[in-house]
Amino acid sequence: AQSVTQLDSQVPVFEEAPVELRCNYSSSVSVYLFWYVQYPNQGLQLLLKYLSGSTLVKGINGFEAEFNKSQTSFHLRKPSVHISDTAEYFCAVSDGNTGNQFYFGTGTSLTVIP
Amino acid sequence: DAGVTQSPTHLIKTRGQQVTLRCSPKSGHDTVSWYQQALGQGPQFIFQYYEEEERQRGNFPDRFSGHQFPNYSSELNVNALLLGDSALYLCASSLAGVQGVYEQYFGPGTRLTVT
C-alpha cells in the first residue's frame, strides 16, 4: 500500500510571498499524483494532477507542482499567495497500475497573513 | 452541470444505531468512492463502486457497507455506530479509465456525529 507524507502540518506565510507545500510518497512504482484544497466545511477541490508526461504540472489558482521520481516527491508551489489561499491542502497518490484507491496525506494548513 | 451531491448535510445518531448516507455522482461519471475524514486528518478510503459492484475496499470493518444503483448513485451504510465513527464522510465520483480512475471529484460531505 502507498503512504503519503506531508512534512508540514501548518505553514504560515505573508501575503504576496511564495510558498511551497511538501509531499512525499512511499512507492517508486508507477503512480498518479494529486493536490486537493479544502476550505472550511467544504469538500475537496482538485488543484492539479500528474498522470504522465511533463514533470511540471500547472493547476488552478496559479498553483504548480513538480513530480520528482528519484526523490518520490510532488511539492506544491505558488509564487505569490493571496488571503483567499488560506485553506487545508492535501496531497494524494494512486497506484498507476490499478488506479482505484487514493491515499491521502494528513494535510497542510496554509495560513496567509495580511 | 451539477457536481457531486450528498445528503444529508449533517446527521446526529446514537451509539448502536444505523445510518445511511447518499451520493449522486457528477453527470457522466460511473464510479463512486467513499472516504471517511476524521477531524484533523486526511480522507481514508472506505470502498469504491463501479457497475453496481464493490471494486475495491479499504481497511474498514464489515459494519461499513454500500450499494450502487443503476443510475450510478450510491449509498453508504454504517451499522452498530461507534463514537469513533464520528467524521466527515466524503463521496467522490469519477469516470473509470483503462487503468482505474484518473481523477476524482468530491462532494461537500456529510458530517456524522455519534453521541
Side-chain angles (χ1 to χ4, degrees), chain A residues 32 34 36 38 41-44 46 49 51 90 94-107, chain B residues 33 35 37 40-43 45 48 55-58 88 90 99-108 111:
Chain A
Y32 300 146
F34 308 85
Y36 285 85
Q38 186 176 37
N41 301 314
Q42 294 188 25
L44 278 70
L46 180 66
K49 63 181 183 289
L51 303 181
F90 292 96
S94 69
D95 187 327
N97 294 318
T98 63
N100 295 324
Q101 182 169 347
F102 279 40
Y103 298 85
F104 283 84
T106 52
Chain B
S33 303
Y35 292 82
Q37 185 179 18
Q41 299 297 315
F45 177 76
Q48 183 180 90
R55 182 157 73 171
Q56 192 158 350
R57 188 179 184 91
L88 180 68
L90 296 165
Q99 288 180 289
V101 303
Y102 300 120
E103 60 187 72
Q104 297 188 344
Y105 292 84
F106 284 80
R111 173 73 63 187

Side-chain angles (χ1 to χ4, degrees), chain B residues 11-51:
Chain B
L11 205 52
I12 300 174
K13 290 286 189 178
T14 304
R15 276 178 297 176
Q17 286 188 316
Q18 178 265 346
V19 68
T20 297
L21 311 182
R22 296 177 176 82
C23 171
S24 291
K26 182 178 168 66
S27 178
H29 284 182
D30 57 7
T31 303
V32 173
S33 303
W34 286 93
Y35 292 82
Q36 180 194 68
Q37 185 179 18
L39 200 61
Q41 299 297 315
Q44 298 287 318
F45 177 76
I46 302 175
F47 42 55
Q48 183 180 90
Y49 276 83
Y50 171 67
E51 292 188 340

Side-chain angles (χ1 to χ4, degrees), chain A residues 2-103:
Chain A
Q2 292 275 357
S3 69
V4 179
T5 302
Q6 292 186 242
L7 298 165
D8 307 297
S9 60
Q10 296 184 354
V11 173
V13 62
F14 286 103
E15 192 175 14
E16 298 184 6
V19 70
E20 178 180 81
L21 306 184
R22 296 179 292 170
C23 172
N24 287 87
Y25 59 95
S26 60
S27 176
S28 60
V29 298
S30 174
V31 293
Y32 300 146
L33 295 156
F34 308 85
W35 275 98
Y36 285 85
V37 61
Q38 186 176 37
Y39 299 101
N41 301 314
Q42 294 188 25
L44 278 70
Q45 180 184 3
L46 180 66
L47 276 177
L48 47 80
K49 63 181 183 289
Y50 171 81
L51 303 181
S52 64
S54 172
T55 57
L56 183 61
V57 179
K58 293 190 182 298
I60 64 172
N61 301 339
F63 284 94
E64 63 181 32
E66 186 157 17
F67 169 55
N68 188 318
K69 186 175 182 179
S70 63
Q71 297 186 2
T72 60
S73 68
F74 191 56
H75 301 333
L76 180 71
R77 302 186 184 98
K78 186 170 183 178
S80 176
V81 296
H82 303 288
I83 296 292
S84 59
D85 292 325
T86 295
E88 192 81 17
Y89 291 79
F90 292 96
C91 179
V93 60
S94 69
D95 187 327
N97 294 318
T98 63
N100 295 324
Q101 182 169 347
F102 279 40
Y103 298 85

